[in-house]
Amino acid sequence: MIEVANRLQTVEEYYFSKKLREVAALVASGKPIINLGIGSPDLQPPKKVIDALVEGFSSPVAHKYQSYQGLPELREAICGFYKNHFSVSLSPLTEVLPLMGSKEGIMHISMAYLNEGDAALIPNPGYPTYQSVTKLVGAEPVFYELNAANNWQPDFEALEKQDLSNVKIMWVNYPHMPTGALPSASVYKDLVAFGKKHNILIVNDNPYTFILNDDPRSILSVEGAKEVCLELNSLSKTFNMAGWRVGMVVGDGKHISNVLKVKSNMDSGMFYGIQKGAIEALNCSGMWFSTLNSVYKKRRDLVWQLADTLNCTYDKDAAGLFVWAKLPEGIEAEPFIDKVLKENHLFITPGTIFGSKGEGYIRFSLCGSTEDLEEAIARFK
Ligand SMILES: Cc1ncc(COP(=O)(O)O)c(C=O)c1O
């Protein structure tokens, strides 16, 4: 018997990797499943993005290895994007690193900064990957609790009372997934101060900032943030390019070069055509965002109706690609979603996969068509 590494004992297969097999089996057996589980945009990327990819195939350099740091034009486009949307100035030479999705950045950053025995602060509820990657690199996840009562913002008073001596990284994600909470007016500033005070690298994971949000923000717009902050961003949700795998990490050159040390030993540059498409996406005008959000607004209205039908409550000021809804008192999330999957053929995500503070909540994705959403509502009437 070939024994697996000890680190594999610390994690389980990703929830969706397992659950989507169950959903696929139901679909294969003829069940009319409506999938509002995963946040995988069903809409198309901008046409000029696809054209650039197709054109990219004919370039004589298309099939060669690409630069570990990405095409210079892609790094320029990322800087332009940060300048236009967040008024953040970045050097294309040193402060930007294209990634194959922001998810891989979570691993690269963790490998660059966490030793065994170090700790990472992780939001509860929060994106499960922060926890699993922390465990895979042999570090310790330390959860900080978020609550509806203070709009899912970190409680700095409670954090200050914790033993932070081993903490090297704090994962932050606003607009927050799964709750959709926006960053409060002061939270980015408070996080930068907290990072400086305790010598903690604050990583803001920011892939939802352009979805149903009138005020997209970057933590790097706070003065002095680069010293202790990195930001992850992604084209997955902003431009409906989740399968393309294009993301980025931005911040001070010393942090970026540390991440590059890991990344350049693990993979090579992205396919040329993908980078060309990504450049076109990043250069899209404001019209793209309003068109995209008008579709999500209509869908969100329907999801709110669906949540009403299920007697759930939710926050109408939340942003992002999901509706986070509180189940009626006393109803547990996992048995509820299993029942709804079995009886109504609707797949919704239980809040518990995002941590213990997700108990009593469910998460609806806005990646279903209006027809599917109307059909889902009809199934409960
Ligand atoms: C909070 C959060 N961070 C990161 C990611 C990963 O996105 P990407 O497609 O850029 O890897 C997701 C994807 O669902 C997410 O919800």
Side-chain angles (χ1 to χ4, degrees):
M1 164 111 147
I2 300 172
E3 298 236 346
V4 297
N6 292 341
R7 72 176 65 84
L8 268 205
Q9 318 295 344
T10 66
V11 291
E12 282 187 24
E13 186 184 348
Y14 195 52
Y15 173 81
F16 282 116
S17 170
K18 263 189 305 195
K19 196 71 184 180
L20 290 176
R21 271 202 300 275
E22 189 185 326
V23 171
L26 288 169
V27 172
S29 71
K31 301 285 189 288
I33 301 292
I34 296 174
N35 188 344
L36 300 183
I38 198 159
S40 179
D42 57 316
L43 300 166
Q44 292 297 296
K47 181 171 176 309
K48 62 178 185 168
V49 168
I50 298 173
D51 292 345
L53 168 66
V54 172
E55 224 172 88
F57 280 108
S58 331
S59 164
V61 299
H63 308 287
K64 299 174 98 168
Y65 282 121
Q66 301 296 319
S67 156
Y68 296 96
Q69 287 173 276
L71 293 171
E73 309 93 276
L74 175 57
R75 280 183 273 124
E76 292 276 0
I78 292 172
C79 294
F81 186 80
Y82 259 73
K83 187 82 197 158
N84 289 342
H85 294 286
F86 305 123
S87 303
V88 167
S89 299
L90 296 166
S91 156
L93 294 178
T94 54
E95 295 185 323
V96 169
L97 182 61
L99 300 172
M100 294 179 194
S102 55
K103 192 174 186 179
E104 76 152 12
I106 297 169
M107 174 57 97
H108 295 335
I109 294 167
S110 300
M111 287 188 77
Y113 285 94
L114 296 175
N115 285 318
E116 282 191 24
D118 285 342
L121 283 169
I122 292 172
N124 176 11
Y127 185 45
T129 300
Y130 310 135
Q131 177 188 174
S132 47
V133 165
T134 302
K135 289 178 174 168
L136 282 171
V137 299
E140 186 202 350
V142 175
F143 294 97
Y144 62 97
E145 292 193 349
L146 305 177
N147 292 293
N150 73 343
N151 199 24
W152 312 98
Q153 307 296 307
D155 175 348
F156 288 99
E157 248 176 63
L159 278 168
E160 291 289 355
K161 285 186 195 140
Q162 278 180 237
D163 176 11
L164 301 171
S165 48
N166 289 335
V167 174
K168 295 270 287 292
I169 291 183
M170 177 175 187
W171 294 102
V172 181
N173 161 228
Y174 291 104
H176 180 244
M177 198 293 297
T179 66
L182 286 163
S184 71
S186 64
V187 76
Y188 284 157
K189 212 162 134 258
D190 295 343
L191 283 162
V192 172
F194 181 75
K196 285 186 179 174
K197 180 172 172 197
H198 296 284
N199 213 18
I200 293 172
L201 180 68
I202 308 289
V203 189
N204 187 40
D205 182 19
N206 202 5
Y208 296 101
T209 198
F210 293 98
I211 309 296
L212 294 173
N213 177 17
D214 295 332
D215 180 25
R217 286 167 60 196
S218 161
I219 197 167
L220 296 183
S221 61
V222 174
E223 213 187 311
K226 280 186 194 166
E227 201 185 306
V228 288
C229 296
L230 283 173
E231 186 159 270
L232 290 166
N233 220 314
S234 168
L235 274 57
S236 294
K237 327 283 166 163
T238 310
F239 298 105
N240 303 327
M241 292 167 67
W244 287 54
R245 311 309 301 135
V246 185
M248 68 203 76
V249 56
V250 296
D252 186 86
K254 69 177 179 299
H255 295 308
I256 296 295
S257 70
N258 291 334
V259 179
L260 178 63
K261 244 189 219 174
V262 176
K263 181 174 160 64
S264 58
N265 279 295
M266 292 180 70
D267 58 35
S268 300
M270 262 179 263
F271 177 63
Y272 178 80
I274 289 183
Q275 297 194 58
K276 294 300 262 186
I279 293 166
E280 290 298 329
L282 291 162
N283 289 333
C284 275
S285 72
M287 179 86 116
W288 166 260
F289 301 94
S290 38
T291 310
L292 180 69
N293 282 314
S294 68
V295 175
Y296 283 135
K297 255 190 203 120
K298 284 195 197 115
R299 291 179 175 188
R300 188 174 59 180
D301 283 345
L302 290 167
V303 169
W304 284 346
Q305 276 183 44
L306 178 58
D308 290 338
T309 311
L310 298 172
N311 297 315
C312 291
T313 51
Y314 46 86
D315 177 4
K316 287 199 165 178
D317 294 326
L321 200 56
F322 305 98
V323 169
W324 178 246
K326 187 163 178 21
L327 288 162
E329 218 44 57
I331 297 191
E332 288 182 0
E334 290 191 31
F336 178 82
I337 73 110
D338 283 338
K339 182 169 175 284
V340 164
L341 180 59
K342 193 159 156 245
E343 294 177 6
N344 308 89
H345 304 131
L346 176 63
F347 176 45
I348 322 166
T349 305
T352 42
I353 74 159
F354 306 107
S356 59
K357 299 297 283 183
E359 182 54 281
Y361 289 87
I362 51 177
R363 191 197 72 171
F364 299 90
S365 156
L366 300 181
C367 300
S369 64
T370 47
E371 292 74 23
D372 273 358
L373 293 169
E374 279 159 1
E375 164 66 17
I377 296 165
R379 286 186 192 174
F380 291 94
K381 282 202 166 152

